[in-house]
Amino acid sequence: MLAHNRVAVLHGVNLDQLGRRDPAVYGDLTLDRLEQRIAEDARELGIEAQFFQTNSESEFVERLHRLDEVSDALILNPGAWTHYSYAIRDALELSGLPAVEVHLSDVQNREEFRKMSVISDLCLTTVSGLGADGYRVALERLLQELTP
Ligand code: DQA
């Protein structure tokens, strides 16, 4: 088990509605089921996953402000905030933690506005269009980063 193995998984606006959102785009897992799956993958990899979801941009930002006290790295799927929230971008930069951006859907092949991410250059990589498997890819990438 790594000494620095705490990975926060932050979900933003409307991700609590998974299961009700179009399954052809987002899959059919609810957020609870998705988090269970991420937690299982994390356990297998020796990572402690910590989960957070909010529909409030200020809560998301405040979580990022405090993240370096409780986490070693993060995975974030900010939902629609990805495309325009400079407040989240600034808070992510402030956290100083290694981050991977994940999207369930293939954001590069949907509406034009989804192609823009204001956080991607702050992240080690972006994983999109792989559904729940994308979080496993993100965990594996962070494991490389956290392994001395
Ligand atoms: C999303 C993609 C965003 O464009 C969208 O607003 C979401 C979810 C995804 O996981 O595919 O809410 O981040």
Side-chain angles (χ1 to χ4, degrees), residues 103-114:
H103 300 286
L104 291 159
S105 66
D106 182 3
V107 283
Q108 291 307 319
N109 288 297
R110 297 182 60 196
E111 300 93 326
E112 205 54 35
F113 74 89
R114 295 189 205 274

Side-chain angles (χ1 to χ4, degrees), residues 10-16 31 52-63 77-78 81 88:
L10 306 188
H11 282 114
V13 62
N14 292 320
L15 273 308
D16 60 329
L31 183 61
F52 179 75
Q53 190 278 330
T54 181
N55 291 320
S56 153
E57 188 179 8
S58 63
E59 282 179 16
F60 200 89
V61 163
E62 282 162 18
R63 184 71 176 205
N77 180 351
W81 292 327
I88 287 173

Side-chain angles (χ1 to χ4, degrees), residues 48-121:
E48 178 196 327
Q50 309 161 326
F51 297 101
F52 179 75
Q53 190 278 330
T54 181
N55 291 320
S56 153
E57 188 179 8
S58 63
E59 282 179 16
F60 200 89
V61 163
E62 282 162 18
R63 184 71 176 205
L64 284 168
H65 288 170
R66 297 189 306 272
L67 210 61
D68 63 337
E69 295 164 18
V70 291
S71 308
D72 302 301
L74 76 149
I75 293 171
L76 74 169
N77 180 351
W81 292 327
T82 306
H83 312 302
Y84 65 86
S85 175
Y86 298 113
I88 287 173
R89 179 196 162 83
D90 285 348
L92 175 62
E93 190 168 27
L94 201 60
S95 82
L97 295 176
V100 174
E101 173 184 3
V102 172
H103 300 286
L104 291 159
S105 66
D106 182 3
V107 283
Q108 291 307 319
N109 288 297
R110 297 182 60 196
E111 300 93 326
E112 205 54 35
F113 74 89
R114 295 189 205 274
K115 292 185 180 166
M116 173 64 186
S117 165
V118 299
I119 60 166
S120 57
D121 64 307

